Amino acid sequence: MITTLILWSYALAALLFGALALTQVRQPSGQWPHAAFVVALATTSLWALAVAGIDTRDVATRIVASARDIAWLGFMLALVRRDRAGNYALGAVYFVVMALAGTAAMLAVAVRMGLDAEALTAVESARVVFRMMSAVSGLVLVHHLYQAAPPSRGGIRLVVLALAAMWGVDLLVSAGVYFDMRWMPAAIVVRGIVMTGVAALLVVGVHRSGDWTLALSRPITVRALSTVALILYAGLTALATSIAASYAGPYVRVAQTAIVFGATAGALAMLSTPWLRAWTKVKVAKHLFRHRYDYRAEWQRFTDTLGKPAAGADTLHARVVKSIADLTDSPGGLLLVADGISLGPEAMWNWDCAATGPQDDTLARFLARDARIIELDRVRAGTAPAEDMASVPGWLQECPDAWAIVPLIHGGALVGAIVLARPPVDRALDWEDFDLLRVAGRQAASYLAEGRAHAALADAARFDEFNRRFAFILHDIKNLVSQLTLVARNAERHADNPEFRVDMVATLRDSSDRMNVLLARLSQHGPVRGEPLQPLDVAAIVERVAASRRGQHPIAARAASVFALGHAARLEQVLGHLVQNAIEASDADAPILLSVETIGDRVAVDVIDHGSGMAPGFVRDQLFRPFVSSKPTGFGIGAFEARQLVHAMGGALDVTSREGEGTRFRILLPAVASLEAAA
């Protein structure tokens, strides 16, 4: 009964496969996937006929079974490589699986070579293992094709489902042979019935789709290659243990343990190596796909990193660095943000090099003008354009891990720049990197600009609240000024003591003047912000401020006669804020130094004290924020307003401070000579 079922089921399958092959021969398409399909159909028909007419255990049948697998693998390879000429890595994967099937055929021939019983058992066991490995590998590749096939091409999906059924039942039969199961005859019958269904699926498939083209899926490709590598690892390990069982004698257990342990340790070591993972990713992207990046997946990861911060996640600035660095597999990065006329460090992510150097606005001017990504390796080698080499500061060139500078442009303005660390697999940037980083940089810049806009709105709201709270105070101060003025007039007329009268009048007038100045400032009657810059005698202004404050605290001035562009009232106001802060931070006998010098094309005005100093975190995150003060009674307006006034004059305000040692505020303004030369 079993023999009859085997005969009829396989004969029917052979008839169906042969008829389908003849039908396809009569419909030439001129495409090599079609030719490979015809060859696979004919080989499968020959194999089914051999099983029905000879025996499934005959060496000829086993050789034809391997040829059938190789033919179908060739058809699958033709599908995935039709539009991808030169994809050698993908072809290598298929050829490895074909080699598994070919090895099984050679072992089938070796079984008939008159080996002794022990060797015969080992060879037969190895043949079955290779058959199972071939079936499993075929299933993995079929799964990849199924995921890669577009939903509109239902015919191709039916074909790959048919191949999955074929290799699935092959795996079942091979496993039964390996474990010597009693139900093997029934399994062989089931395989014949399944192969008949496979032929029916192929008939439906070829009539539903004549376009043998597939699209590769990156995630499925990576998983498929990983699975194939795992199968090869397991198969080679099993083969090595089988060989050890035949030749290791009394030490077979020790040898097999050493093989399994060594293979496992080697696999774990390779999987845990970042360089190997990065190298594999680069090679897969380079040889299996037209483009290095899976743009859809990269953009999803990029936007998730930026826009979906989890609980306890990094700040927006750190997430911006990470999102850009992840695109190129860079292990770290540094964010530089526009600070007045230069770029300063704002956030780091896994950055090991020095994050600062002498202040220089050359890089900021270059990136704002050209918005070009700079390759630092070419700058170090001297092969970059002259502008690139001139714009990169020395501290970045001296950092060997600094790989590229990506400008962040929003609305035509430079928001900042990101310095990427060198990826594990070093390589040169190409056009894909430039395009992706340029677009991602603009998107990241929009996030930073949006964050700044939100912060500005919050500050504006706090200023509005500040103004509302002090509107009533202004009214009271105005009344107080009027009263003090009246007291001063009455004192001039009625005071009997001349000395007291003079002293009282001077005091009242001084208070009146100060309150009127405060009223004018709070009522926004100060200088107009849009007035043009004028040449200033910086030394004269510094001397005037120092003289006015010497009655409160020891102040020394060291100023050469230099001229800068700015506003005298604003500069005097800034110096007043900074000197007052220095006085409050210093001991009564600790002098404060005001100095003026020329640095390049700018004039530097330093306010130096030896007081309590400030913590680095406070300087970085809070010093220049409004309403944040280190003093219990301070409003936190002075430093914020000072920097705003300096920026309005086209300058920059820098601060260096150490706790317990003191603070230096440096005002940098454009020198008159340099600006006249530029004009």
Side-chain angles (χ1 to χ4, degrees):
M1 181 65 179
I2 294 293
T3 304
T4 302
L5 289 175
I6 291 175
L7 173 62
W8 282 102
S9 61
Y10 283 92
L12 179 59
L15 178 62
L16 291 175
F17 277 104
L20 184 57
L22 290 175
T23 303
Q24 292 299 306
V25 168
R26 295 175 182 176
Q27 298 177 356
S29 65
Q31 299 176 353
W32 69 293
H34 179 268
F37 183 62
V38 173
V39 172
L41 289 173
T43 309
T44 306
S45 176
L46 182 61
W47 165 78
L49 190 62
V51 174
I54 307 176
D55 185 20
T56 188
R57 294 166 293 184
D58 189 83
V59 63
T61 304
R62 291 173 175 174
I63 293 174
V64 176
S66 295
R68 179 207 68 179
D69 290 345
I70 293 172
W72 282 114
L73 289 168
F75 165 65
M76 294 163 60
L77 178 61
L79 287 181
V80 299
R81 290 194 59 192
R82 177 187 176 188
D83 298 322
R84 302 192 56 78
N87 197 335
Y88 301 111
L90 183 60
V93 174
Y94 275 89
F95 289 137
V96 168
V97 182
M98 292 178 187
L100 294 177
T103 304
M106 290 188 290
L107 291 174
V109 175
V111 169
R112 300 298 183 182
M113 296 178 62
L115 303 174
D116 56 64
E118 185 177 356
L120 181 64
T121 302
V123 173
E124 176 63 18
S125 177
R127 184 194 68 82
V128 177
V129 168
F130 274 95
R131 287 291 300 165
M132 287 192 291
M133 291 172 60
S134 176
V136 172
S137 301
L139 288 172
V140 171
L141 294 175
V142 163
H143 176 66
H144 167 239
L145 287 180
Y146 182 82
Q147 294 293 330
S152 60
R153 293 179 182 148
I156 291 180
R157 291 201 165 193
L158 287 177
V159 170
V160 296
L161 287 175
L163 294 178
M166 179 185 74
W167 271 311
V169 74
D170 272 359
L171 180 61
L172 176 66
V173 172
S174 298
V177 172
Y178 186 80
F179 294 105
D180 196 17
M181 296 298 182
R182 296 180 179 179
W183 41 261
M184 275 305 303
I188 294 175
V189 173
V190 170
R191 182 171 62 177
I193 297 172
V194 169
M195 291 303 296
T196 303
V198 166
L201 277 176
L202 292 175
V203 170
V204 176
V206 298
H207 284 86
R208 289 188 59 182
S209 175
D211 182 10
W212 302 104
T213 305
L214 292 175
L216 288 176
S217 166
R218 288 175 182 264
I220 297 302
T221 299
V222 173
R223 287 198 290 268
L225 292 176
S226 301
T227 306
V228 169
L230 184 61
I231 291 170
L232 289 175
Y233 158 78
L236 293 175
T237 303
L239 180 61
T241 55
S242 299
I243 294 174
S246 301
Y247 297 101
Y251 304 102
V252 59
R253 201 59 176 267
V254 176
Q256 290 178 334
T257 303
I259 291 171
V260 173
F261 179 80
T264 304
L268 292 176
M270 288 188 293
L271 291 175
S272 62
T273 304
W275 177 88
L276 182 62
R277 292 199 301 268
W279 178 85
T280 304
K281 182 178 179 180
V282 170
K283 292 302 179 183
V284 169
K286 180 178 180 181
H287 295 292
L288 268 65
F289 301 97
R290 292 177 181 174
H291 303 291
R292 172 181 291 113
Y293 297 103
D294 183 350
Y295 292 98
R296 176 178 174 273
E298 295 292 351
W299 203 249
Q300 285 180 333
R301 181 175 64 174
F302 176 81
T303 53
D304 285 347
T305 302
L306 281 179
K308 296 182 180 179
D314 295 328
T315 63
L316 173 62
H317 291 157
R319 296 201 311 274
V320 165
V321 179
K322 185 179 185 302
S323 64
I324 299 291
D326 284 343
L327 296 175
T328 56
D329 288 330
S330 295
L334 170 67
L335 173 63
L336 305 173
V337 297
D339 182 15
I341 57 176
S342 62
L343 289 173
E346 178 67 24
M348 293 178 288
W349 178 68
N350 296 338
W351 185 259
D352 296 328
C353 293
T356 186
Q359 192 175 33
D360 190 3
D361 57 356
T362 307
L363 179 62
R365 290 201 305 264
F366 172 73
L367 294 179
R369 183 178 67 253
D370 286 356
R372 190 167 69 228
I373 297 171
I374 301 177
E375 298 178 82
L376 294 176
D377 284 342
R378 294 187 61 193
V379 171
R380 298 186 188 98
T383 59
E387 290 185 334
D388 288 16
M389 293 189 289
S391 65
V392 178
W395 64 272
L396 266 182
Q397 297 187 38
E398 293 170 1
C399 177
D401 289 335
W403 186 51
I405 302 176
V406 182
L408 306 181
I409 306 295
H410 178 69
L414 180 67
V415 176
I418 291 179
V419 184
L420 295 177
R422 190 180 306 280
V425 179
D426 197 7
R427 59 182 177 83
L429 293 165
D430 60 16
W431 66 269
E432 279 195 83
D433 297 311
F434 290 134
D435 286 348
L436 183 59
L437 290 175
R438 188 177 297 109
V439 174
R442 291 185 178 276
Q443 184 70 11
S446 69
Y447 274 84
L448 291 176
E450 183 180 357
R452 290 184 179 182
H454 282 299
L457 287 175
D459 290 341
R462 298 178 73 179
F463 269 117
D464 186 58
E465 176 62 24
F466 180 85
N467 290 332
R468 283 198 299 269
R469 282 191 289 114
F470 278 87
F472 299 101
I473 298 176
L474 288 176
H475 182 268
D476 294 339
I477 293 176
K478 183 178 180 181
N479 292 337
L480 179 59
V481 170
S482 299
Q483 293 174 4
L484 291 174
T485 305
L486 179 61
V487 169
R489 287 200 300 267
N490 291 335
E492 289 177 346
R493 296 175 184 175
H494 304 292
D496 295 329
N497 189 335
E499 294 180 0
F500 175 79
R501 182 182 60 194
V502 172
D503 183 73
M504 182 181 62
V505 169
T507 302
L508 291 176
R509 284 180 176 173
D510 182 73
S511 299
S512 177
D513 292 339
R514 288 181 180 274
M515 291 182 183
N516 280 317
V517 169
L518 176 62
L519 280 174
R521 187 178 301 169
L522 293 176
S523 300
Q524 297 183 355
H525 293 312
V528 180
R529 298 277 176 168
E531 65 182 299
L533 301 177
Q534 300 292 332
L536 306 176
D537 186 348
V538 178
I541 295 175
V542 168
E543 288 287 352
R544 186 163 61 247
V545 172
S548 66
R549 296 302 183 102
R550 285 195 178 101
Q552 297 177 255
H553 195 91
I555 298 178
R558 186 177 62 204
S561 180
V562 294
F563 287 82
L565 287 187
H567 299 288
R570 293 183 188 178
L571 179 57
E572 190 167 347
Q573 185 177 346
V574 170
L575 289 172
H577 284 314
L578 300 182
V579 170
Q580 184 62 37
N581 288 342
I583 292 173
E584 294 175 356
S586 303
D587 295 333
D589 57 348
I592 295 170
L593 174 64
L594 303 183
S595 70
V596 180
E597 61 179 326
T598 302
I599 302 177
D601 57 355
R602 289 182 289 183
V603 174
V605 183
D606 290 341
V607 179
I608 304 171
D609 68 70
H610 301 284
S612 57
M614 295 173 285
F618 180 85
V619 173
R620 182 182 64 249
D621 301 328
Q622 301 184 46
L623 175 61
F624 293 109
R625 292 188 61 190
F627 313 112
V628 176
S629 176
S630 60
K631 295 171 288 188
T633 59
F635 287 111
I637 297 293
F640 171 79
E641 186 177 13
R643 189 168 71 165
Q644 294 295 104
L645 292 172
V646 172
H647 285 179
M649 293 185 287
L653 181 60
D654 188 20
V655 58
T656 303
S657 184
R658 292 179 180 270
E659 287 184 288
E661 297 182 17
T663 303
R664 183 198 71 185
F665 281 91
R666 168 166 286 181
I667 303 169
L668 294 169
L669 296 175
V672 171
S674 64
L675 278 128
E676 289 178 348

